[in-house]
Coordinates of all heavy atoms in Angstrom, one line a residue:
M17 N -27.8 -48.8 -49.3 CA -29.0 -49.5 -49.5 C -30.2 -48.7 -48.9 O -31.3 -48.6 -49.5 CB -29.0 -50.9 -48.8 CG -30.1 -51.8 -49.2 SD -30.0 -52.3 -50.9 CE -30.2 -54.0 -50.7
T18 N -30.0 -48.1 -47.7 CA -31.1 -47.4 -47.1 C -31.5 -46.1 -47.9 O -32.6 -45.7 -47.9 CB -30.9 -47.0 -45.6 OG1 -29.7 -46.3 -45.5 CG2 -30.9 -48.2 -44.7
K19 N -30.5 -45.5 -48.6 CA -30.8 -44.4 -49.4 C -31.8 -44.7 -50.6 O -32.6 -43.9 -50.9 CB -29.5 -43.8 -50.0 CG -28.7 -43.1 -49.0 CD -27.4 -42.5 -49.6 CE -26.6 -41.8 -48.5 NZ -25.4 -41.3 -49.1
T20 N -31.7 -45.9 -51.1 CA -32.5 -46.4 -52.2 C -33.9 -46.9 -51.7 O -34.9 -46.4 -52.2 CB -31.8 -47.5 -53.0 OG1 -30.6 -47.0 -53.5 CG2 -32.7 -47.9 -54.1
L21 N -33.8 -47.7 -50.7 CA -35.1 -48.4 -50.2 C -35.7 -47.7 -49.0 O -36.9 -47.9 -48.8 CB -34.8 -49.8 -49.9 CG -34.3 -50.7 -51.0 CD1 -34.0 -52.1 -50.5 CD2 -35.4 -50.8 -52.1
G22 N -35.0 -46.9 -48.3 CA -35.5 -46.2 -47.1 C -36.8 -45.4 -47.3 O -37.7 -45.6 -46.6
P23 N -36.9 -44.6 -48.4 CA -38.1 -43.9 -48.6 C -39.4 -44.7 -48.8 O -40.5 -44.2 -48.6 CB -37.8 -43.0 -49.9 CG -36.3 -42.9 -49.9 CD -35.8 -44.3 -49.3
V24 N -39.2 -46.0 -49.2 CA -40.4 -46.8 -49.4 C -40.6 -47.9 -48.4 O -41.4 -48.8 -48.4 CB -40.4 -47.4 -50.8 CG1 -40.6 -46.3 -51.9 CG2 -39.2 -48.2 -51.1
T25 N -39.7 -47.9 -47.4 CA -39.7 -49.0 -46.3 C -40.7 -48.7 -45.3 O -40.8 -47.6 -44.8 CB -38.3 -49.0 -45.7 OG1 -37.3 -49.4 -46.7 CG2 -38.3 -50.1 -44.6
V26 N -41.6 -49.7 -45.0 CA -42.6 -49.5 -43.9 C -42.3 -50.4 -42.7 O -42.9 -50.2 -41.7 CB -44.0 -49.8 -44.5 CG1 -44.4 -48.7 -45.5 CG2 -44.1 -51.2 -45.1
K27 N -41.5 -51.4 -42.8 CA -41.1 -52.2 -41.7 C -39.6 -52.4 -41.6 O -39.0 -52.6 -42.6 CB -41.7 -53.6 -41.8 CG -43.2 -53.6 -41.7 CD -43.8 -55.0 -41.7 CE -45.3 -54.9 -41.6 NZ -45.9 -56.2 -41.4
V28 N -39.1 -52.2 -40.4 CA -37.6 -52.2 -40.2 C -37.3 -53.2 -39.2 O -37.9 -53.3 -38.1 CB -37.1 -50.8 -39.8 CG1 -35.6 -50.8 -39.6 CG2 -37.5 -49.7 -40.8
H29 N -36.3 -54.0 -39.4 CA -35.8 -55.0 -38.5 C -34.4 -54.6 -38.1 O -33.5 -54.5 -38.9 CB -35.8 -56.4 -39.1 CG -35.3 -57.5 -38.3 ND1 -36.1 -58.6 -37.9 CD2 -34.1 -57.7 -37.7 CE1 -35.4 -59.4 -37.2 NE2 -34.2 -58.9 -37.0
V30 N -34.1 -54.4 -36.8 CA -32.8 -53.9 -36.4 C -32.2 -54.8 -35.3 O -32.8 -55.5 -34.5 CB -32.9 -52.5 -35.8 CG1 -33.4 -51.5 -36.8 CG2 -33.8 -52.4 -34.6
K31 N -30.8 -54.8 -35.4 CA -30.0 -55.6 -34.4 C -28.7 -54.9 -34.4 O -28.1 -54.5 -35.4 CB -29.8 -57.0 -34.9 CG -28.8 -57.8 -34.0 CD -28.8 -59.3 -34.4 CE -28.5 -59.6 -35.8 NZ -28.4 -61.0 -36.1
D32 N -28.1 -54.6 -33.2 CA -26.8 -54.0 -33.1 C -25.8 -55.0 -32.8 O -26.0 -56.0 -32.2 CB -26.9 -52.9 -32.0 CG -25.9 -51.7 -32.4 OD1 -25.2 -51.8 -33.3 OD2 -26.0 -50.7 -31.7
I33 N -24.6 -54.7 -33.3 CA -23.4 -55.6 -33.1 C -22.2 -54.9 -32.8 O -22.1 -53.7 -33.0 CB -23.2 -56.5 -34.3 CG1 -22.9 -55.6 -35.5 CG2 -24.4 -57.4 -34.6 CD1 -22.0 -56.2 -36.6
Q34 N -21.2 -55.6 -32.3 CA -19.8 -55.2 -32.1 C -18.9 -56.2 -32.8 O -19.0 -57.4 -32.5 CB -19.5 -55.1 -30.7 CG -18.1 -54.5 -30.4 CD -18.0 -53.0 -30.7 OE1 -18.9 -52.3 -30.4 NE2 -16.9 -52.6 -31.3
A35 N -18.2 -55.8 -33.8 CA -17.2 -56.7 -34.5 C -15.8 -56.3 -34.1 O -15.4 -55.2 -34.1 CB -17.3 -56.5 -36.0
Q36 N -15.1 -57.4 -33.6 CA -13.7 -57.2 -33.2 C -12.8 -58.2 -33.8 O -13.3 -59.4 -34.1 CB -13.6 -57.3 -31.7 CG -14.4 -56.3 -30.9 CD -14.3 -56.5 -29.4 OE1 -14.4 -57.6 -28.9 NE2 -14.2 -55.4 -28.7
R37 N -11.6 -57.9 -34.0 CA -10.6 -58.9 -34.6 C -10.5 -60.0 -33.6 O -10.4 -59.8 -32.4 CB -9.3 -58.2 -34.8 CG -9.1 -57.6 -36.1 CD -9.0 -58.6 -37.1 NE -8.2 -58.1 -38.3 CZ -8.1 -58.8 -39.4 NH1 -8.7 -59.9 -39.5 NH2 -7.5 -58.3 -40.4
A38 N -10.4 -61.2 -34.1 CA -10.1 -62.4 -33.3 C -8.7 -62.3 -32.8 O -7.8 -61.6 -33.4 CB -10.3 -63.7 -34.1
N39 N -8.5 -63.0 -31.6 CA -7.1 -62.9 -31.0 C -6.0 -63.4 -31.9 O -4.9 -62.8 -31.9 CB -7.1 -63.8 -29.7 CG -7.9 -63.1 -28.6 OD1 -8.2 -61.9 -28.6 ND2 -8.4 -63.9 -27.7
D40 N -6.3 -64.3 -32.8 CA -5.3 -64.8 -33.7 C -5.2 -64.0 -35.0 O -4.4 -64.3 -35.9 CB -5.5 -66.3 -34.1 CG -6.9 -66.5 -34.7 OD1 -7.6 -65.5 -35.1 OD2 -7.3 -67.7 -34.9
M41 N -6.0 -62.9 -35.1 CA -6.0 -62.0 -36.2 C -6.4 -62.7 -37.5 O -6.2 -62.2 -38.6 CB -4.6 -61.3 -36.4 CG -4.2 -60.5 -35.2 SD -5.3 -59.2 -34.8 CE -4.9 -58.0 -36.0
L42 N -7.1 -63.8 -37.4 CA -7.5 -64.6 -38.6 C -9.1 -64.5 -38.8 O -9.7 -65.5 -39.2 CB -7.0 -66.0 -38.5 CG -5.5 -66.2 -38.6 CD1 -5.2 -67.6 -38.4 CD2 -5.0 -65.7 -39.9
G43 N -9.7 -63.4 -38.5 CA -11.1 -63.3 -38.6 C -11.6 -62.3 -37.6 O -10.9 -61.5 -37.0
F44 N -13.0 -62.4 -37.4 CA -13.6 -61.5 -36.5 C -14.5 -62.2 -35.5 O -15.0 -63.3 -35.8 CB -14.5 -60.5 -37.3 CG -13.6 -59.6 -38.1 CD1 -13.3 -59.9 -39.4 CD2 -13.2 -58.3 -37.6 CE1 -12.5 -59.0 -40.2 CE2 -12.5 -57.5 -38.4 CZ -12.1 -57.8 -39.7
V45 N -14.8 -61.6 -34.4 CA -15.7 -62.1 -33.4 C -16.9 -61.1 -33.4 O -16.7 -59.9 -33.2 CB -15.1 -62.2 -32.0 CG1 -16.2 -62.6 -31.0 CG2 -13.9 -63.2 -32.0
I46 N -18.1 -61.6 -33.7 CA -19.3 -60.7 -33.7 C -20.1 -61.0 -32.5 O -20.4 -62.1 -32.1 CB -20.1 -61.0 -35.0 CG1 -19.3 -61.0 -36.2 CG2 -21.3 -60.1 -35.0 CD1 -18.7 -59.7 -36.6
S47 N -20.4 -59.9 -31.7 CA -21.1 -60.0 -30.5 C -22.4 -59.1 -30.6 O -22.3 -58.0 -31.1 CB -20.3 -59.5 -29.3 OG -19.1 -60.3 -29.2
G48 N -23.5 -59.5 -30.0 CA -24.7 -58.7 -30.0 C -24.5 -57.6 -28.9 O -23.8 -57.9 -27.9
T49 N -25.1 -56.5 -29.1 CA -25.0 -55.4 -28.1 C -26.4 -54.8 -28.0 O -27.2 -55.0 -28.9 CB -24.1 -54.3 -28.5 OG1 -24.5 -53.6 -29.7 CG2 -22.7 -54.8 -28.7
P50 N -26.7 -54.0 -26.9 CA -28.0 -53.3 -26.9 C -28.0 -52.3 -28.0 O -27.0 -51.7 -28.4 CB -27.9 -52.6 -25.6 CG -26.9 -53.3 -24.7 CD -25.9 -53.8 -25.7
A51 N -29.2 -52.1 -28.6 CA -29.3 -51.1 -29.7 C -28.8 -49.8 -29.3 O -29.1 -49.3 -28.2 CB -30.8 -51.0 -30.1
G52 N -27.9 -49.2 -30.1 CA -27.3 -47.9 -29.8 C -25.9 -48.1 -29.1 O -25.2 -47.1 -29.0
A53 N -25.6 -49.2 -28.7 CA -24.3 -49.4 -28.0 C -23.2 -50.1 -28.9 O -22.1 -50.2 -28.5 CB -24.5 -50.3 -26.8
G54 N -23.6 -50.5 -30.1 CA -22.7 -51.2 -31.0 C -22.3 -50.3 -32.1 O -22.1 -49.0 -31.9
Q55 N -22.2 -50.8 -33.3 CA -21.6 -50.1 -34.5 C -22.6 -49.6 -35.5 O -22.2 -48.9 -36.4 CB -20.6 -51.0 -35.2 CG -19.4 -51.3 -34.3 CD -18.4 -52.3 -34.9 OE1 -18.8 -53.4 -35.3 NE2 -17.2 -51.9 -35.1
I56 N -23.9 -49.8 -35.2 CA -24.9 -49.4 -36.2 C -25.4 -48.0 -35.8 O -25.7 -47.7 -34.6 CB -26.1 -50.4 -36.2 CG1 -25.7 -51.8 -36.4 CG2 -27.2 -49.9 -37.2 CD1 -24.9 -52.1 -37.7
D57 N -25.5 -47.1 -36.8 CA -25.9 -45.7 -36.5 C -27.4 -45.7 -36.8 O -27.9 -45.4 -37.9 CB -25.2 -44.8 -37.5 CG -25.6 -43.3 -37.3 OD1 -26.6 -43.0 -36.5 OD2 -25.0 -42.5 -37.9
F58 N -28.2 -46.0 -35.7 CA -29.7 -46.1 -35.9 C -30.3 -44.8 -36.2 O -31.3 -44.7 -36.9 CB -30.3 -46.7 -34.6 CG -30.0 -48.1 -34.4 CD1 -29.1 -48.6 -33.5 CD2 -30.6 -49.1 -35.3 CE1 -28.9 -50.0 -33.4 CE2 -30.4 -50.4 -35.1 CZ -29.5 -50.9 -34.2
S59 N -29.7 -43.7 -35.7 CA -30.3 -42.4 -36.1 C -30.3 -42.1 -37.6 O -31.2 -41.7 -38.2 CB -29.5 -41.3 -35.3 OG -30.0 -40.0 -35.6
R60 N -29.2 -42.5 -38.2 CA -29.0 -42.4 -39.7 C -30.0 -43.3 -40.4 O -30.7 -43.0 -41.3 CB -27.6 -42.6 -40.1 CG -27.4 -42.4 -41.6 CD -26.0 -42.8 -42.0 NE -25.6 -44.1 -41.8 CZ -26.0 -45.2 -42.6 NH1 -26.7 -44.9 -43.7 NH2 -25.7 -46.4 -42.3
V61 N -30.0 -44.6 -39.9 CA -30.8 -45.6 -40.6 C -32.2 -45.3 -40.5 O -33.0 -45.3 -41.6 CB -30.5 -47.0 -40.0 CG1 -31.5 -48.0 -40.6 CG2 -29.1 -47.5 -40.3
L62 N -32.7 -45.0 -39.3 CA -34.2 -44.7 -39.2 C -34.5 -43.4 -39.8 O -35.7 -43.2 -40.3 CB -34.5 -44.8 -37.7 CG -34.4 -46.1 -37.1 CD1 -34.7 -46.1 -35.6 CD2 -35.3 -47.2 -37.8
G63 N -33.6 -42.4 -39.8 CA -33.9 -41.2 -40.5 C -34.1 -41.3 -42.0 O -34.7 -40.5 -42.6
Q64 N -33.5 -42.4 -42.6 CA -33.7 -42.6 -44.0 C -34.9 -43.5 -44.3 O -35.1 -43.8 -45.5 CB -32.4 -43.2 -44.6 CG -31.2 -42.3 -44.5 CD -30.0 -42.9 -45.1 OE1 -29.9 -44.0 -45.5 NE2 -28.9 -42.1 -45.1
C65 N -35.7 -43.8 -43.3 CA -36.9 -44.6 -43.4 C -38.1 -43.8 -42.9 O -38.7 -44.3 -41.9 CB -36.7 -45.9 -42.7 SG -35.4 -46.9 -43.3
P66 N -38.5 -42.7 -43.5 CA -39.5 -41.9 -42.9 C -40.9 -42.5 -42.9 O -41.7 -42.1 -42.1 CB -39.5 -40.6 -43.8 CG -38.9 -41.1 -45.1 CD -37.9 -42.2 -44.7
R67 N -41.1 -43.5 -43.7 CA -42.4 -44.1 -43.7 C -42.5 -45.4 -42.9 O -43.6 -46.0 -42.8 CB -42.8 -44.5 -45.2 CG -42.9 -43.3 -46.1 CD -43.3 -43.7 -47.5 NE -44.6 -44.3 -47.5 CZ -45.0 -45.2 -48.4 NH1 -44.2 -45.5 -49.4 NH2 -46.2 -45.8 -48.3
A68 N -41.5 -45.7 -42.1 CA -41.5 -46.9 -41.3 C -42.6 -46.8 -40.3 O -42.7 -45.8 -39.5 CB -40.1 -47.0 -40.6
Q69 N -43.5 -47.8 -40.3 CA -44.6 -47.9 -39.3 C -44.3 -48.9 -38.3 O -45.0 -49.0 -37.3 CB -45.9 -48.3 -40.1 CG -46.2 -47.3 -41.2 CD -47.3 -47.8 -42.1 OE1 -47.9 -48.9 -41.8 NE2 -47.6 -47.1 -43.1
S70 N -43.3 -49.8 -38.5 CA -43.1 -50.9 -37.5 C -41.6 -51.1 -37.4 O -40.9 -51.2 -38.5 CB -43.8 -52.1 -38.0 OG -43.4 -53.2 -37.3
I71 N -41.1 -51.2 -36.2 CA -39.6 -51.5 -36.0 C -39.6 -52.8 -35.1 O -40.1 -52.8 -34.0 CB -38.9 -50.4 -35.3 CG1 -39.0 -49.1 -36.1 CG2 -37.4 -50.7 -35.0 CD1 -38.4 -47.9 -35.4
T72 N -38.9 -53.8 -35.7 CA -38.7 -55.0 -34.9 C -37.3 -55.0 -34.4 O -36.3 -54.8 -35.1 CB -38.9 -56.3 -35.8 OG1 -40.2 -56.3 -36.3 CG2 -38.6 -57.5 -35.0
L73 N -37.2 -55.1 -33.0 CA -35.8 -55.1 -32.4 C -35.4 -56.5 -32.1 O -36.1 -57.2 -31.3 CB -35.9 -54.3 -31.1 CG -34.7 -54.3 -30.2 CD1 -33.5 -53.7 -30.9 CD2 -35.0 -53.5 -28.9
E74 N -34.3 -56.9 -32.7 CA -33.8 -58.3 -32.4 C -32.7 -58.1 -31.4 O -31.8 -57.3 -31.5 CB -33.2 -58.9 -33.7 CG -32.6 -60.3 -33.4 CD -32.1 -60.9 -34.7 OE1 -32.4 -60.5 -35.8 OE2 -31.4 -61.9 -34.5
L75 N -32.7 -58.9 -30.3 CA -31.7 -58.9 -29.3 C -30.9 -60.1 -29.3 O -31.4 -61.2 -29.5 CB -32.4 -58.8 -27.9 CG -33.3 -57.6 -27.7 CD1 -34.1 -57.7 -26.4 CD2 -32.5 -56.3 -27.8
W76 N -29.6 -59.9 -29.1 CA -28.7 -61.0 -29.3 C -27.6 -61.0 -28.2 O -26.4 -60.8 -28.5 CB -28.1 -60.9 -30.7 CG -27.3 -62.1 -31.2 CD1 -27.5 -63.4 -30.9 CD2 -26.1 -62.0 -32.0 NE1 -26.5 -64.1 -31.5 CE2 -25.7 -63.3 -32.2 CE3 -25.4 -61.0 -32.6 CZ2 -24.5 -63.6 -33.0 CZ3 -24.3 -61.3 -33.3 CH2 -23.9 -62.6 -33.5
P77 N -28.0 -61.2 -27.0 CA -27.0 -61.2 -25.9 C -26.1 -62.5 -26.0 O -26.6 -63.5 -26.5 CB -27.8 -61.2 -24.6 CG -29.1 -61.8 -25.0 CD -29.3 -61.4 -26.4
S78 N -25.0 -62.4 -25.3 CA -24.1 -63.6 -25.3 C -24.8 -64.7 -24.6 O -25.6 -64.5 -23.6 CB -22.8 -63.3 -24.6 OG -22.1 -62.3 -25.3
A79 N -24.6 -66.0 -25.0 CA -25.2 -67.1 -24.4 C -24.7 -67.3 -22.9 O -23.6 -66.9 -22.6 CB -24.9 -68.4 -25.2
G80 N -25.5 -67.8 -22.1 CA -25.2 -68.0 -20.7 C -26.4 -68.0 -19.8 O -27.5 -67.6 -20.3
P81 N -26.2 -68.3 -18.5 CA -27.3 -68.3 -17.6 C -28.0 -66.9 -17.4 O -29.2 -66.9 -17.1 CB -26.7 -68.8 -16.3 CG -25.3 -68.7 -16.4 CD -24.9 -68.6 -17.9
S82 N -27.3 -65.8 -17.6 CA -27.9 -64.5 -17.5 C -28.5 -64.0 -18.7 O -29.1 -62.9 -18.7 CB -26.8 -63.5 -16.9 OG -25.8 -63.4 -17.9
A83 N -28.4 -64.7 -19.8 CA -28.9 -64.2 -21.1 C -30.4 -63.8 -21.1 O -30.8 -62.7 -21.6 CB -28.7 -65.2 -22.2
P84 N -31.3 -64.6 -20.5 CA -32.7 -64.3 -20.5 C -33.0 -62.9 -19.7 O -33.8 -62.1 -20.2 CB -33.4 -65.4 -19.8 CG -32.5 -66.6 -20.1 CD -31.1 -66.0 -20.0
Q85 N -32.3 -62.8 -18.6 CA -32.5 -61.5 -17.8 C -31.9 -60.3 -18.6 O -32.5 -59.3 -18.7 CB -31.9 -61.6 -16.5 CG -32.1 -60.4 -15.6 CD -33.5 -60.0 -15.3 OE1 -34.4 -60.9 -15.2 NE2 -33.8 -58.8 -15.3
L86 N -30.8 -60.5 -19.2 CA -30.2 -59.5 -20.0 C -31.0 -59.1 -21.1 O -31.2 -57.9 -21.5 CB -28.8 -60.0 -20.5 CG -27.9 -58.9 -21.1 CD1 -27.6 -57.8 -20.1 CD2 -26.6 -59.6 -21.5
E87 N -31.7 -60.0 -21.8 CA -32.5 -59.7 -22.9 C -33.7 -58.9 -22.5 O -34.1 -57.9 -23.2 CB -33.0 -61.1 -23.5 CG -33.6 -60.9 -24.9 CD -33.8 -62.2 -25.6 OE1 -34.0 -63.3 -24.9 OE2 -33.8 -62.2 -26.8
L88 N -34.3 -59.2 -21.3 CA -35.4 -58.4 -20.8 C -35.0 -57.0 -20.5 O -35.7 -56.0 -20.8 CB -36.0 -59.0 -19.5 CG -36.7 -60.4 -19.7 CD1 -37.1 -61.0 -18.3 CD2 -38.0 -60.1 -20.5
E89 N -33.8 -56.8 -19.9 CA -33.3 -55.5 -19.6 C -33.1 -54.7 -20.9 O -33.4 -53.5 -21.0 CB -32.0 -55.6 -18.8 CG -32.2 -56.1 -17.4 CD -30.9 -56.4 -16.7 OE1 -29.8 -56.0 -17.2 OE2 -30.9 -57.1 -15.7
W90 N -32.4 -55.3 -21.9 CA -32.2 -54.6 -23.1 C -33.5 -54.2 -23.8 O -33.6 -53.1 -24.3 CB -31.4 -55.5 -24.1 CG -30.0 -55.7 -23.7 CD1 -29.3 -55.3 -22.6 CD2 -29.0 -56.4 -24.5 NE1 -28.0 -55.7 -22.7 CE2 -27.8 -56.4 -23.8 CE3 -29.1 -57.1 -25.7 CZ2 -26.6 -57.0 -24.3 CZ3 -27.9 -57.7 -26.2 CH2 -26.7 -57.6 -25.5
A91 N -34.5 -55.1 -23.8 CA -35.8 -54.8 -24.4 C -36.4 -53.6 -23.8 O -36.9 -52.7 -24.5 CB -36.7 -56.0 -24.3
A92 N -36.4 -53.5 -22.5 CA -37.0 -52.4 -21.8 C -36.4 -51.0 -22.1 O -37.1 -50.1 -22.4 CB -37.0 -52.6 -20.3
T93 N -35.1 -51.0 -22.1 CA -34.4 -49.7 -22.3 C -34.2 -49.4 -23.8 O -34.3 -48.2 -24.2 CB -33.0 -49.7 -21.6 OG1 -32.2 -50.8 -22.2 CG2 -33.1 -49.9 -20.1
R94 N -34.0 -50.4 -24.6 CA -33.6 -50.1 -26.0 C -34.9 -49.8 -26.8 O -34.7 -49.0 -27.8 CB -32.9 -51.3 -26.6 CG -31.5 -51.5 -25.9 CD -30.5 -50.4 -26.0 NE -30.7 -49.3 -25.1 CZ -30.0 -48.2 -25.1 NH1 -29.1 -47.9 -26.0 NH2 -30.2 -47.3 -24.2
M95 N -36.0 -50.2 -26.5 CA -37.2 -49.8 -27.2 C -37.5 -48.3 -27.0 O -37.9 -47.6 -27.9 CB -38.4 -50.7 -26.8 CG -38.5 -52.1 -27.3 SD -38.3 -52.1 -29.2 CE -39.8 -51.3 -29.6
Q96 N -37.3 -47.9 -25.8 CA -37.4 -46.4 -25.5 C -36.4 -45.6 -26.3 O -36.7 -44.6 -26.8 CB -37.2 -46.2 -24.0 CG -38.3 -46.7 -23.1 CD -39.7 -46.0 -23.5 OE1 -39.8 -44.9 -23.9 NE2 -40.7 -46.8 -23.5
Y97 N -35.2 -46.1 -26.4 CA -34.1 -45.5 -27.2 C -34.6 -45.4 -28.7 O -34.5 -44.3 -29.3 CB -32.8 -46.3 -27.1 CG -31.8 -45.9 -28.2 CD1 -31.1 -44.7 -28.1 CD2 -31.5 -46.8 -29.2 CE1 -30.2 -44.4 -29.1 CE2 -30.6 -46.5 -30.2 CZ -30.0 -45.3 -30.1 OH -29.0 -45.0 -31.1
L98 N -35.1 -46.5 -29.3 CA -35.5 -46.4 -30.7 C -36.7 -45.5 -30.9 O -36.8 -44.8 -31.8 CB -35.8 -47.9 -31.1 CG -34.6 -48.8 -31.3 CD1 -35.1 -50.2 -31.6 CD2 -33.7 -48.3 -32.3
K99 N -37.6 -45.5 -29.9 CA -38.8 -44.6 -30.0 C -38.4 -43.2 -30.0 O -38.9 -42.3 -30.7 CB -39.8 -44.9 -28.9 CG -40.6 -46.2 -29.0 CD -41.5 -46.4 -27.9 CE -42.2 -47.7 -28.0 NZ -43.1 -48.0 -26.9
S100 N -37.3 -42.9 -29.2 CA -36.8 -41.5 -29.1 C -36.3 -41.0 -30.5 O -36.3 -39.8 -30.8 CB -35.8 -41.3 -28.0 OG -34.5 -41.9 -28.4
L101 N -35.8 -41.9 -31.3 CA -35.2 -41.6 -32.6 C -36.3 -41.4 -33.6 O -36.0 -40.8 -34.6 CB -34.2 -42.7 -33.0 CG -33.0 -42.9 -32.2 CD1 -32.2 -44.1 -32.8 CD2 -32.1 -41.7 -32.1
T102 N -37.5 -41.9 -33.4 CA -38.5 -41.8 -34.4 C -39.6 -40.7 -34.0 O -40.5 -40.5 -34.8 CB -39.2 -43.1 -34.6 OG1 -39.8 -43.6 -33.4 CG2 -38.2 -44.2 -35.1
A103 N -39.4 -40.1 -32.8 CA -40.4 -39.1 -32.4 C -40.3 -37.8 -33.1 O -39.3 -37.5 -33.7 CB -40.3 -38.9 -30.9

């Protein structure tokens, strides 16, 4: 998809994930990860969107009492990571 639409894309929305087989082997468990720590190759994706003027980073930490703090930490470090890929 990015090969077709990437050259004309001006806004990109990203979220990284980790997909693992469920313990019963009857499906998958999808977990959010910090951008660059999961299964999405952001260097490839953003490299195919040379006209991108805006990148929206969606964070999806596991639910729990530490989720708000974790989200703040991910935001601080992962925005720098994404900026390094577009520099």
